[in-house]
Amino acid sequence: MSVTKHRLRKAAAVALVGAVALGTAAACGGDNEPAPGEKPTTLVVDTFGEFGYDELVKQYEQTSGIKIELRKTAQLGEYRPKLVRYLATNKGAGDVVALEEGIINEFKINPSNWVDLSQYVGDKSADYLPWKYQLGKTLDGKLIGLPTDVGSLAVCYRRDLFEAAGMPTDREEVAKLWPDWNGFIAAGQTYRSKTGKALLDSVTTAASAIIFQVGGDSFYDANNELFPAGADTSKLENLVAANSPAVKTAWDTAIKMVDANITAKVRTWSPEWSGGFKNGTFAATFCPSWMTGIVEGNSGAENAGKWDVAAVPGGGGNWGGSWLSVPTQSKWPAEAAKLAEFLTNAQSQVAAFKLKGPLPTNLTALQNPDFQAYQNAYFNNAPTGKIFGGSVQGIKPLTLGPKHGAVKERALEPALQSYEGGTASAADAWANFLKEVPTQGAY
């Protein structure tokens, strides 16, 4: 792909973003401002997946007298286009909206779309993991997001299926099967030989886990560029992604997993993937803390106690996490900021973790005895507070560019799936991945 085409696409994307910014500015006029002393009757919170807010919003309603409408979108891939449309049309967004780590830098490009929360909640930097709090700020220091959760990696596995395969079931013994990624591949081969089935759901969950585990630059450099400064942008081999240790390690390990035939070859978030948790299509998945609620929801009550949680190969890592933000189009920025503050405080983060699994980023929450001692009954009483919380301080921040999520989901994952599905060679899949990076990563 030529540099000219890359720049044209980038210019078009910037023009669209500029239109959004102009529209937002128009939406901030006097007609959007409440009358003096006026209070909202309802505030809307937009989230994706499971944040664990169902009971918390009921508490807030009781103490504030404000009705909270919780609007959930099942998948981030469906949520992001809605939010883009809300910002572009200057209407429809919740008073509080969730921004996931793969998209927050994209939305930071236009700070005028977002309320500076510090004017309502003050400086909260001492309350959260430092790197997480910093990522909620724009380049000019505007606080547009209060931290909700962080991923922290583990492996969720089916104890009953491991037992049927004659493999260890105790979480400590299971972790010993895979001190590193080669060990995990060997365990997958053993499981396949014993059962004829796949150990792992998809090669893409492994790739995501490894990218975040290695850390550093992935698709963009620290300057949010797809190519390093001074590089020939007509040559795809000069892409940051082409030379990233995180991406290359994830790719090479994923290819080994496919070659070893340890994956079920299902696409994450597809109906087949969701059903696989219940019917035993696979026996394990890489599981950030927030995924435990999804595993439980997909597996159903009949599989309670059959799942467990073990350490991830190679140590810790992170995958996922979000922030709560307030769009400037909200008529109630002060009240919305108070709600965001409540949902992200220490007590609320512990409550959300117990309900659905999102791992706290609030430092007080991480030290909370109830959090540290918490055992998840669905996962055979696994000490998930200890398992996930114990590795959070060692997380290596990853460079997340403006379109990180798009590059991962529309360039990296389809390329890996093409090799996993047998429709492309490893070399062709890699070439197709690099070809798509400039398209999906342009902003």
Side-chain angles (χ1 to χ4, degrees), residues 43-47 51-55 57 68-72 343:
L43 291 173
V44 177
V45 179
D46 286 338
T47 64
F51 276 64
Y53 291 162
D54 299 77
E55 297 303 318
V57 297
I68 307 300
E69 180 183 349
L70 188 58
R71 299 192 306 197
K72 299 181 185 180
L343 292 172

Side-chain angles (χ1 to χ4, degrees), residues 289-364:
S289 182
W290 51 263
M291 184 77 83
T292 57
I294 294 172
V295 173
E296 180 177 347
N298 286 338
S299 298
E302 63 268 36
N303 286 314
K306 296 179 181 179
W307 285 89
D308 211 322
V309 183
V312 72
N318 178 58
W319 174 10
S322 300
W323 293 256
L324 293 185
S325 301
V326 177
T328 49
Q329 66 181 256
S330 171
K331 184 179 180 180
W332 313 102
E335 293 292 345
K338 290 178 184 177
L339 174 57
E341 182 181 21
F342 167 78
L343 292 172
T344 57
N345 70 28
Q347 294 81 6
S348 294
Q349 288 198 359
V350 172
F353 171 76
K354 289 181 176 181
L355 186 64
K356 292 296 182 181
L359 186 69
T361 53
N362 186 290
L363 297 175
T364 300

Side-chain angles (χ1 to χ4, degrees), residues 253-293:
T253 306
I255 295 301
K256 289 180 182 178
M257 289 182 177
V258 175
D259 291 343
N261 193 30
I262 70 167
T263 71
K265 303 179 182 180
V266 293
R267 292 178 182 267
T268 51
W269 313 114
S270 68
E272 294 77 16
W273 180 78
S274 299
F277 288 92
K278 182 176 292 186
N279 60 33
T281 304
F282 47 85
T285 185
F286 292 105
C287 199
S289 182
W290 51 263
M291 184 77 83
T292 57

Side-chain angles (χ1 to χ4, degrees), residues 72-422:
K72 299 181 185 180
T73 300
Q75 299 178 22
L76 181 63
E78 300 170 354
Y79 176 84
R80 179 193 164 277
K82 290 182 182 179
L83 184 55
V84 169
R85 183 170 67 251
Y86 293 152
L87 296 177
T89 59
N90 306 310
K91 62 181 180 180
D95 298 284
V96 177
V97 303
L99 296 179
E100 194 262 353
E101 68 176 12
I103 66 173
I104 188 171
N105 281 345
E106 175 186 1
F107 289 103
K108 281 185 192 177
I109 294 172
N110 293 299
S112 60
N113 284 335
W114 308 102
V115 170
D116 185 351
L117 298 174
S118 63
Q119 64 183 306
Y120 298 111
V121 304
D123 181 5
K124 295 287 185 179
S125 58
D127 294 353
Y128 300 94
L129 294 168
W131 63 267
K132 180 75 177 185
Y133 186 80
Q134 189 62 33
L135 285 173
K137 290 184 175 183
T138 59
L139 290 177
D140 60 359
K142 184 177 182 180
L143 181 66
I144 70 162
L146 287 173
T148 59
D149 66 308
V150 70
S152 195
L153 280 170
V155 178
C156 291
Y157 67 97
R158 282 276 298 268
R159 296 175 66 254
D160 59 326
L161 299 182
F162 271 50
E163 183 176 19
M167 296 173 68
T169 59
D170 176 79
R171 64 184 69 96
E172 300 293 339
E173 295 301 315
V174 168
K176 291 178 182 178
L177 294 174
W178 48 66
D180 54 26
W181 291 99
N182 287 332
F184 186 84
I185 292 172
Q189 291 174 311
T190 298
Y191 185 81
R192 174 73 79 178
S193 70
K194 298 284 188 178
T195 67
K197 293 184 178 182
L199 172 66
L200 184 65
D201 53 350
S202 170
V203 70
T204 59
T205 59
S208 292
I210 296 167
I211 285 176
F212 283 99
Q213 188 177 68
V214 175
D217 293 349
S218 54
F219 308 133
Y220 297 83
D221 63 18
N223 296 315
N224 286 337
E225 295 294 340
L226 293 168
F227 290 90
D232 183 350
T233 58
S234 67
K235 297 181 178 179
L236 296 178
E237 61 266 29
N238 291 333
L239 282 162
V240 171
N243 300 283
S244 161
V247 172
K248 291 173 73 69
T249 300
W251 182 274
D252 291 344
T253 306
I255 295 301
K256 289 180 182 178
M257 289 182 177
V258 175
D259 291 343
N261 193 30
I262 70 167
T263 71
K265 303 179 182 180
V266 293
R267 292 178 182 267
T268 51
W269 313 114
S270 68
E272 294 77 16
W273 180 78
S274 299
F277 288 92
K278 182 176 292 186
N279 60 33
T281 304
F282 47 85
T285 185
F286 292 105
C287 199
S289 182
W290 51 263
M291 184 77 83
T292 57
I294 294 172
V295 173
E296 180 177 347
N298 286 338
S299 298
E302 63 268 36
N303 286 314
K306 296 179 181 179
W307 285 89
D308 211 322
V309 183
V312 72
N318 178 58
W319 174 10
S322 300
W323 293 256
L324 293 185
S325 301
V326 177
T328 49
Q329 66 181 256
S330 171
K331 184 179 180 180
W332 313 102
E335 293 292 345
K338 290 178 184 177
L339 174 57
E341 182 181 21
F342 167 78
L343 292 172
T344 57
N345 70 28
Q347 294 81 6
S348 294
Q349 288 198 359
V350 172
F353 171 76
K354 289 181 176 181
L355 186 64
K356 292 296 182 181
L359 186 69
T361 53
N362 186 290
L363 297 175
T364 300
L366 289 168
Q367 297 302 316
N368 183 293
D370 287 343
F371 164 74
Q372 294 183 339
Y374 180 71
Q375 296 180 343
N376 191 316
Y378 191 88
F379 288 83
N380 190 38
N381 291 318
T384 49
K386 178 181 177 181
I387 292 172
F388 290 113
S391 63
V392 71
Q393 295 289 355
I395 289 174
K396 300 175 183 177
L398 185 73
T399 301
L400 297 173
K403 301 295 287 292
H404 176 92
V407 175
K408 183 175 80 73
E409 294 172 8
R410 301 173 196 164
L412 179 66
E413 292 184 356
L416 284 172
Q417 287 162 344
S418 69
Y419 182 66
E420 186 179 37

